[in-house]
Amino acid sequence: MRSTVIQVTTGSREAVHDLTSECERFAAEAASEAGGDGLLHVFVPHATAGVAILELGAGSDDDLLSALGDLLPADDRWRHAHGSRGHGRSHVMPAMIPPYATVPVLSGRLALGTWQSIALVDLNVDNRERQVRLSFLAG
């Protein structure tokens, strides 16, 4: 297995951050060293962030944030209440958008669908710096 950690700055707003190019680069290098096929595992070691595979750039990222805002409002209903208003919702979100995803790698390329991208989803405006662990498991 080969593994690396990338640093992501999400800023002071809720974010859907595209990780696809970093994942493609890492998978291609790791697959080349390992001889071809395998699995890319993307993991966010944070209690308030997730990893999603979805279409990005055509409004879907904003739609996702809007849907999460409807499901998990940033208000005072949350028992886990420290940090910014509604912070507790960030701790609930990974139950819906898990902190990991696994993608097949075939001949050094991610086997994503035509419009699929890999994204970090982060509602926690109190923690702007994130780590994402990329691991390649050779087949």
Side-chain angles (χ1 to χ4, degrees), residues 39-44 50-53 98-103 118-119 133 135:
L39 295 172
L40 173 69
H41 188 73
V42 183
F43 177 69
V44 181
V51 176
I53 297 178
Y100 59 86
T102 303
V103 178
I118 303 169
R133 177 166 294 282
S135 300

Side-chain angles (χ1 to χ4, degrees), residues 8-91:
V8 176
T9 301
T10 56
S12 59
R13 297 181 351 181
E14 298 173 353
V16 177
H17 181 85
D18 191 354
L19 301 171
T20 310
S21 62
E22 292 99 328
C23 291
E24 288 172 335
R25 205 169 17 260
F26 173 76
E29 291 172 9
S32 175
E33 291 174 9
D37 300 344
L39 295 172
L40 173 69
H41 188 73
V42 183
F43 177 69
V44 181
H46 298 281
T48 59
V51 176
I53 297 178
L54 73 161
E55 179 181 11
L56 295 176
S60 298
D61 32 359
D62 290 332
D63 289 342
L64 175 59
L65 291 176
S66 179
L68 289 171
D70 291 344
L71 291 169
L72 304 168
D75 59 22
D76 296 325
R77 72 182 69 199
W78 307 100
R79 291 188 182 117
H80 184 99
H82 67 83
S84 62
R85 186 171 191 252
H87 175 75
R89 75 193 187 124
S90 296
H91 287 275

